[in-house]
């Protein structure tokens, strides 16, 4: 296929908005693998194919656009714009699964989620993936009109999920942002109808038609409301208006046919259905109506054929789409029943009535089975229904508490176990134990420990309570008590190797390494194949750097059980400690491949890749690990950090939001996540982390410091002052307080106050980080020479401090000391030859002084951190400034898609587009740059471009 090949004609476009079932397969993965070898790939050809595809898409030639995009991806699989446009083409053509795959590939390669918010939200609604929409799609980075559309789609998802309160709020927010849009009114009218508020629904739909009288969808919406309120003639009139505006509107045509059948106009209904068939518009409701009409005529063969068509379309539909669509559920049930598919018909009917269970004892048993098999999503609602039916059943309370505990919803679990323990009386041992676990999860350590002690005292054979208590005592430094508890457990069952091994762990935690080694050796003497003791003994060897002994033991264990994941993981740690990174990686990769239960090998892989600055590879590893372990807190944190490392703040925020839910009331984890949220530009998310941390530990200093930083980022001066006052009153003069006061003063431009606090902090704890902050305050005060002198003096005292040297180079560059900066960067590159931030700083210096080596330096930096939008932008800008417009434009487009909220990047793209003659697109990008939250800095080039484009 070449650029001049004439694409084949596409079939008539298939409306996507109700056709999740009509999916044509697209071998996207195969398409992505069809490209030529790297030696043959041509970005220039790819750009030409892409421009042709874009023009075809704008003209409605979806098939032609698809072919040219295939050619684009064959030439350049990394072109973000091609993957993005491919998703839009497939979506418009009704190929929803193919569109989803294309959009996900675009996101995987680096397109910002904000760029895909609206089409992905529409896609998820059509696929019935409402949870995905609500979890992943938000208004971050969008303009007012786009925000209103996303809020409308989110409102629809909330409404279909049964949460009308949040739905109404989303619709209200959408209307407030864009009062001229009819979309929120149409969606709200449907919600009101489902809630039984028919008059409000009708009035709301009527307002939509008044707001957008030339929009066929507003009339179709009104027609559905009128039909539901039994105003059939009014509904028919509204459908006819919809079809007059757009005769190809499938939903209006299907609904009109159903109305005509209701009114006894059989022939007219058949004519509408015939029009749909002639246009090759497949719809299960239309097929079902054809079956009904055929049955009325006595044509059993035709009826059977139409029933089969209905089933063929409905059966593959996602359950999420079907569960809220009664017409489709009934059509599926009736059609399957007519064809003799009793079990499938029963399944559809059970979906309809499954929310109202009747058999109490059977539901309790089912809930316990679901709990045992970890199917918590089904167990919880079932148990909640049972509890409403019988609030005093202690068994149901215990089971429901266990579900909440398993899902780390500690507050709800605590409430259930407290009630169960109160009602169980003398038999409350198990409930007390689980209550203790829940309270520990909430950060209520004393209460949790107390209930575990009660449970263990009531039943000394309760090993779960005893083990947890011994670990608590060990952490508290109560070594004697920890040892006493562990020995009590072992005494009850002296031959229990698991407990003997646990006793060795407690001895090790208490600092008795010799006693721990003796215990592990004793276990292995009884059973040489007892893996936990072998691993623990090897761990002792590793800590003591007895690598050869540990390696021999672990390999012997692998000889007994090939590919034992725990042994492979431990062997990886050994090799890392021994300085053999490649061998460590191989062991962890194998440990990750052979099991899906333990994320530790995958986390170790991510850490090692990140330490080697292979950030793209680390992100890929993190994505794979998150797919295997979506509910594990360390995995979500690793994924968020990996996204941040490549500059994808939007996806990082989503990962940290998931982590917040998993962390519950763990104060340290919440503070850690809050700081990461700030790095990802999400102060509101970080504020919630502070709230959770302070709930667990009131007056925690780290949480109070974070609270100040959050309010500073949010820009609420009153709340900032209050937070600062609280911190200063509770921890006056402490190092964290001094640093926080200085940072806030810096933010507010109170430079003398900032400098005095940074100096006080330096007096308490001299370090390079504080020195750099003091220098920044001096520079902000216009004291650049003073700052440079201070930094040079500090550098003489710390000659091997690379962070300090990097700061010195940056200050020299900022101060215009080009030759001094060059020397500093040269020294830095000799120490850190593969640090992309150093290379990019040097490239910026070379660009300033007109050195043609700037492009090669920027390209080297980007190769070390591929996908980083700032480095991509830097290379693109250098290429444009050096006259290589086509190559520069390609990099700038990619940078803009990866970081659409960066005004500087969008200005650079606008500049390049204007140079290439694409004035309209350049003007659009320049306006976006000027309105971005991270605005472009003033410069002569910006002023000239604004004048040239009339902005």
């Amino acid at each position: 296929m070449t650029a001049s090949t004439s694409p084949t004609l596409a079939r008539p476009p298939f409306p996507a908005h109700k056709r999740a079932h009509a999916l044509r397969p697209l071998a996207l993965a195969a398409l992505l693998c069809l490209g030529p070898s790297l030696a043959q790939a041509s970005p220039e050809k790819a750009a030409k194919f892409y421009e042709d595809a874009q023009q075809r898409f704008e003209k409605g030639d979806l098939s032609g656009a698809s072919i040219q995009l295939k050619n684009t991806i064959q030439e350049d699989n990394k072109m973000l714009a091609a993957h993005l446009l491919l998703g839009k083409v497939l979506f418009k053509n009704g190929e929803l699964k193919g569109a989803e795959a294309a959009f996900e590939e675009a996101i995987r390669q680096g397109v910002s989620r904000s760029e895909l918010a609206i089409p992905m939200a529409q896609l998820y609604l059509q696929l019935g993936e409402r949870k995905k929409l609500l979890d992943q799609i938000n208004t971050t980075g969008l303009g007012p009109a786009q925000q209103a559309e996303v809020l409308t789609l989110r409102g629809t998802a909330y409404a279909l999920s049964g949460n009308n309160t949040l739905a109404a709020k989303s619709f209200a927010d959408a209307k407030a942002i864009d009062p001229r849009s009819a979309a929120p009114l149409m969606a709200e009218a449907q919600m009101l109808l489902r809630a039984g508020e028919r008059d409000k629904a009708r009035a709301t739909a009527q307002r939509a038609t008044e707001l957008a009288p030339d929009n066929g969808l507003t009339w179709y919406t009104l027609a559905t409301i009128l039909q539901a309120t039994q105003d059939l003639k009014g509904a028919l009139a509204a459908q006819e208006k919809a079809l007059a505006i757009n005769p190809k509107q499938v939903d209006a045509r299907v609904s009109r046919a159903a109305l005509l059948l209701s009114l006894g106009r059989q022939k007219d209904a058949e004519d509408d259905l015939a029009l749909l068939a002639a246009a090759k518009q497949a719809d299960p409701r239309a097929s079902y109506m054809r079956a009904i009409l055929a049955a009325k005529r006595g044509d059993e063969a035709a009826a059977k054929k139409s029933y089969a068509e209905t089933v063929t379309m409905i059966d593959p539909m996602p359950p999420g789409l079907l569960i809220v669509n009664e017409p489709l559920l009934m059509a599926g049930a009736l059609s399957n029943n007519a064809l003799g598919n009793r079990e499938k018909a029963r399944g559809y009917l059970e979906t309809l009535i499954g929310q109202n269970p009747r058999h109490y004892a059977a539901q309790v048993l089912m809930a316990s089975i679901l709990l045992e098999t970890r199917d918590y999503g089904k167990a919880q609602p079932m148990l909640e229904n049972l509890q409403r039916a019988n609030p005093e059943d202690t068994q149901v309370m215990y089971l429901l508490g266990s579900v909440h505990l398993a899902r780390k919803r500690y507050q709800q679990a605590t409430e259930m176990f407290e009630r169960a323990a109160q009602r169980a009386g003398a038999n409350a041992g198990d409930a007390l134990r689980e209550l203790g676990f829940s309270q520990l999860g909430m950060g209520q350590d004393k209460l949790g420990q107390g209930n575990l002690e009660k449970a263990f005292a009531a039943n000394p054979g309760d090993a779960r309570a005893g083990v947890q208590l011994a670990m608590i005592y060990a952490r508290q430094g109560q070594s004697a008590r920890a040892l006493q508890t562990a020995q009590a457990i072992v005494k009850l069952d002296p031959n229990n190797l698991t407990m003997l091994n646990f006793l060795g762990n407690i001895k090790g935690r208490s600092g008795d390494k010799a006693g721990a080694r003796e215990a592990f050796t004793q276990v292995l003497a009884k059973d040489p194949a007892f893996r936990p003791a072998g691993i623990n003994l090897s761990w002792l060897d590793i800590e003591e750097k007895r690598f050869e002994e540990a390696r021999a033991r672990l390999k012997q264990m692998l000889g007994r059980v090939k590919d034992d994941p725990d042994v492979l993981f431990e062997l990886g740690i050994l090799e890392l400690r021994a300085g053999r990174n490649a061998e460590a990686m191989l062991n962890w990769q194998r440990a990750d491949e052979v099991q899906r239960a333990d994320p530790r090998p995958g986390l170790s892989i991510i850490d090692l890749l990140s330490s080697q600055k292979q950030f793209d590879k680390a992100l890929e590893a993190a994505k794979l690990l998150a797919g295997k372990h979506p509910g594990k807190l360390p995995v979500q944190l690793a994924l968020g950090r990996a996204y941040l490392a490549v500059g994808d703040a939007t996806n990082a925020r989503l990962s940290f939001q998931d982590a917040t839910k998993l962390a519950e009331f763990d104060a340290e984890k919440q503070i850690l996540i809050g700081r990461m949220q700030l790095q990802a530009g999400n102060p509101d998310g970080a504020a919630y982390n502070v709230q959770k941390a302070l709930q667990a530990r009131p007056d925690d200093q780290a949480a109070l410091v974070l609270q100040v930083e959050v309010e500073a980022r949010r820009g609420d001066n009153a709340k900032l002052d209050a937070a600062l006052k609280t911190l200063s009153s509770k921890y006056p003069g402490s190092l964290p307080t001094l640093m926080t006061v200085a940072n806030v003063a810096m933010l507010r431009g109170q430079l003398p106050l900032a400098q005095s606090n940074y100096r006080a902090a330096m007096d308490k704890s001299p370090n390079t980080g504080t020195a750099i902050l003091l220098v920044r305050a001096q520079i902000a005060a216009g004291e650049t020479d003073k700052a440079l002198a201070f930094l040079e003096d500090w550098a003489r005292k710390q000659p091997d401090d690379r962070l300090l040297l990097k700061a010195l180079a940056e200050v020299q560059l900022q101060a215009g000391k080009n030759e001094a900066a060059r020397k500093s960067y040269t020294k830095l590159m000799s120490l850190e030859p593969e640090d992309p931030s150093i290379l990019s700083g040097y490239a910026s210096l070379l660009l300033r002084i007109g050195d043609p080596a700037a492009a090669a330096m920027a390209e080297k930096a980007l190769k070390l951190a591929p996908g980083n939008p700032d480095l991509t932008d830097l290379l693109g800008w250098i290429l444009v400034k050096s006259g290589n417009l086509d190559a520069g434009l390609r990099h700038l487009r990619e940078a803009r898609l990866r970081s659409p909220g960066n005004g500087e990047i969008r200005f650079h793209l606008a500049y390049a587009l204007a140079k290439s003659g694409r004035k309209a697109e350049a003007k659009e990008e320049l306006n976006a740059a000027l309105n971005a939250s991270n605005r472009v800095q003033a410069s002569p080039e910006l002023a000239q471009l604004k004048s040239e484009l009339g902005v």
Side-chain angles (χ1 to χ4, degrees), residues 571-572 575-576 580-589 608:
L571 193 54
E575 301 299 1
L576 183 71
R580 292 156 46 113
N581 290 354
E583 289 80 0
M585 179 69 77
L586 288 173
N587 281 294
W588 287 331
Q589 286 172 338
L608 183 54

Side-chain angles (χ1 to χ4, degrees), residues 1 77 90 112 142 179 222 254 275 300 306 340 357 391 413 439 450 480 498 501 573 576 675 700 828 932 945:
M1 177 69 67
N77 184 33
L90 297 173
S112 170
L142 301 178
L222 177 60
V254 171
L275 285 173
E300 292 185 7
S306 291
Q439 290 167 329
T498 299
N501 182 65
I573 292 175
L576 183 71
R675 294 207 167 280
D700 182 274
L828 273 169
L945 185 60

Side-chain angles (χ1 to χ4, degrees), residues 503-524:
L503 177 60
N505 278 324
I506 291 298
K507 289 183 177 182
R509 284 171 178 260
S510 302
D512 183 4
K513 303 296 183 183
R517 184 177 290 277
E518 180 184 356
F520 298 142
T521 304
Q522 182 183 354
V523 172
L524 291 173

Side-chain angles (χ1 to χ4, degrees), residues 48 105 236 317 464 475 497 545 663 833 842 861 947:
K48 290 179 181 178
E105 178 64 15
L236 186 60
M317 285 186 181
R464 286 190 66 210
R475 282 198 301 269
L497 299 185
K545 297 186 178 181
Y842 190 46
S947 175

Side-chain angles (χ1 to χ4, degrees), residues 42 103 155 176 198 276 371 436 466 730:
S42 169
F103 285 150
R198 295 184 172 189
L276 288 169
L371 178 61
K730 292 184 182 296

Side-chain angles (χ1 to χ4, degrees), residues 253-286:
R253 185 71 65 187
V254 171
S255 296
R256 183 176 185 271
L259 278 168
L260 292 169
L261 272 178
S262 300
L263 294 169
R265 294 168 56 181
Q266 185 170 315
K267 177 64 170 63
D268 292 336
E270 288 178 337
D271 290 344
D272 271 342
L273 294 173
L275 285 173
L276 288 169
K280 297 183 179 178
Q281 297 288 5
D283 188 285
R285 299 162 298 174

